[in-house]
């Protein structure tokens, strides 16, 4: 029998899965970068919820158990990769915007 925390995690998984599929299908933003970042964030949340299921279900072992540490490190890695992806995307967008601004200023001069 599923406990209430497990049902909450499963419900969130379904919500994130539906949101991910709708984002992949509809591409709600005009900017492709914004769509990619939204997909990246939804994937990060979905993966971390999947990694969290054994912890919520009590199958990760006692606090301090190696399995619990491995799952926690996995969750942190997923979010670390997502933050790195966001940072690289923002840096790229800033670089492109700066290049366009520089070109416009030189063209006006």
């Amino acid at each position: 029998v599923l406990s209430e925390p497990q049902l909450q995690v499963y419900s969130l998984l379904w919500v994130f899965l539906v949101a991910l599929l709708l984002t992949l299908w509809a591409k709600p933003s005009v900017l492709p970068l914004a769509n990619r970042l939204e997909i990246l964030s939804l994937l990060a949340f979905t993966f971390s919820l999947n990694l969290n299921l054994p912890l919520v279900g009590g199958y990760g072992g006692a606090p301090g158990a190696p399995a619990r540490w491995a799952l926690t490190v996995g969750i942190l890695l997923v979010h670390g990769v997502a933050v790195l992806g966001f940072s690289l995307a923002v840096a790229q967008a800033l670089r492109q915007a700066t290049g366009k601004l520089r070109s416009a200023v030189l063209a006006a001069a």
Side-chain angles (χ1 to χ4, degrees):
V1 174
L2 296 174
S3 66
E4 184 177 333
Q6 285 177 309
L7 289 175
Q8 291 172 352
V9 171
Y10 280 121
S11 298
L12 277 173
L13 277 171
W14 279 102
V15 168
F16 280 120
L17 181 62
V18 168
L20 180 62
L21 291 174
L22 286 173
T23 301
L24 287 169
W25 175 71
K27 294 183 177 49
S29 178
V30 177
L31 302 172
L33 177 63
N35 286 324
R36 285 196 309 262
L37 291 176
E38 185 170 353
I39 290 167
L40 175 66
S41 66
L42 290 170
L43 283 172
F45 281 120
T46 302
F47 283 133
S48 64
L49 282 172
N50 276 310
L51 290 172
N52 196 28
L53 273 173
L55 297 175
V56 172
Y59 302 111
R68 187 174 287 265
W69 277 104
L71 290 169
T72 303
V73 168
I75 292 168
L76 292 174
L77 283 174
V78 165
H79 285 281
V81 168
V83 168
L84 180 64
F86 270 80
S87 300
L88 292 174
V90 168
Q92 178 187 7
L94 286 174
R95 202 174 315 117
Q96 289 174 352
T98 304
K100 287 180 183 178
L101 182 62
R102 185 177 300 130
S103 298
V105 168
L106 291 175

